[in-house]
Amino acid sequence: MPSAANPSVTTLRGDRYMRGSKTHFVPPFSEEELAEARRIAQAHHAPHAKVIRAKLALLLAKNPAIHHTEAAKELGIHAQTVLKWRRRWCRYGFSLDDTPRPGRPPTFSPH
């Protein structure tokens, strides 16, 4: 049970107790971004990672206060993945693409 001295240990969410406090990262989504997410989420030939990110964006747009562990469980992904994309979308805007990998770009010889 949560203690009065430390309310952040657990908070009541619906009828379940969940660890932690409410999220600080609530990304704003425009209608165009949500339309792109809907298109990718329903695509049969889109990369799996993009489909998961699109579904996450749609879930967060529908329920911005959802806890990251609950969103992760609903989508079958790790809670850290939910936090990563929430942070990224809040800081840098909406994108379903990976960030470029560090290091020298690959070079291919014509031979």
Side-chain angles (χ1 to χ4, degrees):
M1 293 296 293
S3 67
N6 192 355
S8 68
V9 172
T10 54
T11 56
L12 184 61
R13 180 149 173 74
D15 58 344
R16 298 173 291 228
Y17 282 99
M18 303 196 71
R19 293 195 59 74
S21 59
K22 70 179 199 173
T23 183
H24 297 284
F25 299 103
V26 180
F29 298 109
S30 70
E31 284 304 315
E32 295 82 22
E33 293 165 344
L34 291 176
E36 178 187 355
R38 280 187 209 96
R39 184 181 58 78
I40 300 270
Q42 296 171 353
H44 294 286
H45 297 290
H48 180 70
K50 274 191 166 186
V51 171
I52 292 296
R53 292 172 200 151
K55 288 180 178 181
L56 176 60
L58 294 172
L59 179 64
L60 295 177
K62 186 173 88 172
N63 186 0
I66 191 169
H67 196 269
H68 62 277
T69 55
E70 193 175 331
K73 194 179 293 184
E74 190 167 323
L75 294 174
I77 58 177
H78 199 277
Q80 288 296 326
T81 304
V82 175
L83 285 173
K84 169 185 162 179
W85 284 98
R86 270 186 149 155
R87 262 188 232 115
R88 188 175 291 180
W89 288 330
C90 284
R91 290 180 181 159
Y92 306 113
F94 181 75
S95 174
L96 297 175
D97 297 324
D98 284 322
T99 56
R101 299 285 180 216
R104 183 176 181 180
T107 57
F108 300 97
S109 68
H111 297 98

